Amino acid sequence: MDQVKVIEIKKSVFEDNDKDANNLRKELKDRGVFLLNLMSSPGSGKTTTLISTLNLLKDKLKIAVMEADIDSDVDAVKIKEATGIQTIQLHTGGMCHLDAEMTRQGLDNVSLEGTDLVILENVGNLVCPAEFDTGSCKNAMILSVPEGHDKPLKYPLMFSICDVVIVNKIDVLPYFDFDLEKCKEYVRMRNPKAQVIPICAKTGEGVDVFANWLLEQVKNWKQQ
Amino acid sequence: MDQVKVIEIKKSVFEDNDKDANNLRKELKDRGVFLLNLMSSPGSGKTTTLISTLNLLKDKLKIAVMEADIDSDVDAVKIKEATGIQTIQLHTGGMCHLDAEMTRQGLDNVSLEGTDLVILENVGNLVCPAEFDTGSCKNAMILSVPEGHDKPLKYPLMFSICDVVIVNKIDVLPYFDFDLEKCKEYVRMRNPKAQVIPICAKTGEGVDVFANWLLEQVKNWKQQ
């Protein structure tokens, strides 16, 4: 099994997270590094989505992954083994989210030289991660079909801060009462600008649409 | 559509939640009321499980339901309409969990006279609700098949504090890589005493096992 670097994240001491997040974003801009914050419920398929996406992008961009979990290194090892991409594990020690300072602790352990894209896989939680700006350039979230199309009604903040909503596990649509059109309508209620991308991370269906979206964001970030 | 009482929960001012939770438990004991704290990820089927369970128990016990959500009253209305049981909606105003004082704010709005069982449907979140004792007599959680059998590895605290783990959506087992035996093994790693009950809330399969477990708990609570 590949060795993955494990970072034990310390609680932040900064009081003004928004200011700290803006500073981090500016630093990333200066270095030409795009940071994506990827959020979702537990078990929505973040890791599988990441692996499919990374395999489509790894020849086009230099990428690093920071995998945040309360405990366990299972996903970080899986990502490194399946993609060969630089992956580090962030242990939050029970904490339910990452803020900008915690994200910075991770970035300090990534070799950023020449890196185009860093993906932060946030803690599996639809509530707290939405409340803390990580300093990311864009926010993405995954909603999986079995969770139901009503989630934008119940977790408004999460959907309102995300630039893209990936609807995963569309292969099991026939077995669940999930209405994709209603889902899109509810997402628009929370955030009219958010893009909705249906995918099946397991089979790869639709993952190219997300990969192209991400490629476009990285290019824009570097050119702006 | 039935009217459901909506309570806007205020942030707690008590510093010692554990003490407050023990006091609440003692008060409930004195009144012969059993409080169950039901937790899970978003979209694991808490509401459907509750409806199936309540319909099996409502002729045997006097029951009330407190439905906690960050926003929306969809589930509370659904429960009241499907079961006729006294249901109130707790709005947490963005907060990711309930503690004992917040639970008490809900209980103050429930008619407890003669009530045997109150079920608190906590905020959909596998992280924060596990950290705060609500004052409940027992904790239950739902893990749904699409979330994967590895969740006890990733959310250790949640699994370690639960007396029962309901594995829901077993009707879709053929479409997911979910190993029930591995799941039981991982749950036992976190909590050797936790009972694992596989169910399908939609078809009702296995719900009687959970309902009987709950009935037994209520009887023991009153007799002890």
Side-chain angles (χ1 to χ4, degrees):
Chain A
M1 201 185 274
D2 278 6
Q3 280 292 317
V4 162
K5 194 171 181 178
V6 179
I7 317 299
E8 307 292 336
I9 296 288
K10 291 177 193 72
K11 207 164 178 178
S12 301
V13 288
F14 290 95
E15 278 182 14
D16 191 343
N17 182 61
D18 285 345
K19 194 176 159 192
D20 197 31
N22 283 331
N23 288 342
L24 178 55
R25 222 168 352 254
K26 200 178 163 302
E27 287 164 42
L28 291 168
K29 181 83 182 167
D30 292 344
R31 303 189 71 165
V33 177
F34 181 92
L35 173 65
L36 181 78
N37 175 26
L38 181 61
M39 297 172 285
S40 84
S41 289
S44 66
K46 281 197 294 303
T47 305
T48 313
T49 301
L50 257 186
I51 290 173
S52 311
T53 308
L54 292 170
N55 280 330
L56 291 178
L57 291 178
K58 66 181 178 185
D59 296 333
K60 296 172 183 161
L61 300 170
K62 191 179 169 207
I63 311 173
V65 173
M66 304 196 295
E67 174 71 31
D69 273 303
I70 293 172
D71 206 350
S72 108
D73 313 327
V74 185
D75 291 345
V77 172
K78 211 189 282 177
I79 291 169
K80 200 176 177 189
E81 284 183 347
T83 66
I85 280 172
Q86 179 189 183
T87 307
I88 64 167
Q89 177 74 51
L90 311 183
H91 275 173
T92 68
M95 279 178 292
C96 50
H97 67 276
L98 291 180
D99 61 16
E101 166 55 20
M102 293 150 120
T103 305
R104 195 190 296 269
Q105 290 175 42
L107 288 168
D108 285 347
N109 288 279
V110 171
S111 143
L112 288 180
E113 195 55 40
T115 295
D116 305 296
L117 168 65
V118 178
I119 301 180
L120 167 65
E121 193 184 315
N122 214 313
V123 178
N125 182 339
L126 283 194
V127 190
C128 319
E131 292 170 24
F132 295 88
D133 189 342
T134 57
S136 66
C137 312
K138 293 279 174 184
N139 293 317
M141 71 158 292
I142 303 176
L143 171 67
S144 65
V145 165
E147 293 170 62
H149 58 252
D150 61 347
K151 291 299 157 288
L153 301 179
K154 296 191 178 176
Y155 301 88
L157 186 61
M158 175 58 77
F159 286 84
S160 70
I161 64 151
C162 278
D163 301 284
V164 64
V165 175
I166 299 163
V167 177
N168 191 22
K169 308 191 187 178
I170 55 167
D171 57 324
V172 295
L173 271 170
Y175 314 113
F176 290 91
D177 305 322
F178 186 99
D179 186 328
L180 191 55
E181 289 314 307
K182 270 223 170 103
C183 176
K184 286 179 181 172
E185 183 192 322
Y186 292 156
V187 169
R188 275 194 298 269
M189 271 171 60
R190 297 304 180 198
N191 182 358
K193 288 183 187 162
Q195 201 172 327
V196 177
I197 304 178
I199 71 161
C200 173
K202 220 164 70 176
T203 64
E205 190 183 347
V207 178
D208 56 323
V209 180
F210 174 57
N212 288 335
W213 175 86
L214 195 48
L215 195 59
E216 202 62 32
Q217 306 304 314
V218 175
K219 280 185 188 165
N220 291 344
W221 182 250
K222 286 171 174 281
Q223 283 165 2
Q224 267 167 13
Chain B
M1 199 185 277
D2 277 7
Q3 280 292 316
V4 162
K5 193 170 180 180
V6 178
I7 316 299
E8 308 291 337
I9 296 288
K10 290 177 195 73
K11 208 165 176 175
S12 301
V13 289
F14 290 95
E15 279 184 14
D16 191 343
N17 183 60
D18 285 345
K19 194 177 159 192
D20 197 32
N22 283 330
N23 287 343
L24 177 55
R25 225 172 344 259
K26 199 179 164 301
E27 286 164 43
L28 291 168
K29 182 83 182 166
D30 292 343
R31 302 189 70 165
V33 177
F34 182 91
L35 174 65
L36 180 79
N37 176 25
L38 181 62
M39 297 171 285
S40 84
S41 289
S44 66
K46 280 196 295 300
T47 305
T48 315
T49 301
L50 257 186
I51 290 173
S52 312
T53 308
L54 291 170
N55 280 329
L56 290 178
L57 291 178
K58 66 181 177 184
D59 295 333
K60 296 172 183 160
L61 299 171
K62 191 179 167 205
I63 310 174
V65 173
M66 304 197 295
E67 174 70 32
D69 272 303
I70 293 171
D71 207 349
S72 107
D73 312 327
V74 185
D75 291 345
V77 172
K78 211 188 282 176
I79 291 169
K80 200 175 176 186
E81 284 183 347
T83 67
I85 280 171
Q86 179 189 185
T87 306
I88 65 166
Q89 176 74 51
L90 311 182
H91 275 173
T92 68
M95 280 178 290
C96 50
H97 67 276
L98 290 181
D99 62 15
E101 166 54 21
M102 292 150 120
T103 304
R104 193 190 297 270
Q105 289 175 44
L107 288 169
D108 285 346
N109 288 279
V110 170
S111 144
L112 287 180
E113 195 54 42
T115 296
D116 306 296
L117 167 65
V118 178
I119 301 181
L120 168 64
E121 192 182 317
N122 213 314
V123 179
N125 183 338
L126 282 193
V127 190
C128 317
E131 292 169 25
F132 295 88
D133 189 342
T134 56
S136 66
C137 312
K138 294 279 174 184
N139 291 319
M141 70 160 293
I142 304 177
L143 171 68
S144 66
V145 164
E147 292 171 63
H149 58 251
D150 61 347
K151 291 300 157 289
L153 301 179
K154 295 188 177 178
Y155 301 88
L157 186 62
M158 175 57 78
F159 286 85
S160 70
I161 64 151
C162 279
D163 302 284
V164 63
V165 175
I166 299 164
V167 177
N168 190 24
K169 307 192 188 179
I170 55 167
D171 56 324
V172 295
L173 271 170
Y175 314 114
F176 290 91
D177 305 322
F178 187 98
D179 186 328
L180 191 56
E181 289 314 308
K182 270 221 169 100
C183 177
K184 286 179 181 172
E185 184 191 321
Y186 293 157
V187 170
R188 274 194 299 268
M189 272 171 61
R190 297 305 180 198
N191 183 356
K193 288 184 189 163
Q195 200 171 329
V196 176
I197 304 177
I199 70 160
C200 172
K202 221 164 70 177
T203 64
E205 189 182 346
V207 177
D208 55 324
V209 181
F210 174 57
N212 287 336
W213 175 87
L214 195 48
L215 195 59
E216 202 61 33
Q217 306 304 316
V218 175
K219 280 187 188 163
N220 290 344
W221 183 250
K222 285 172 175 279
Q223 283 165 3
Q224 267 167 15

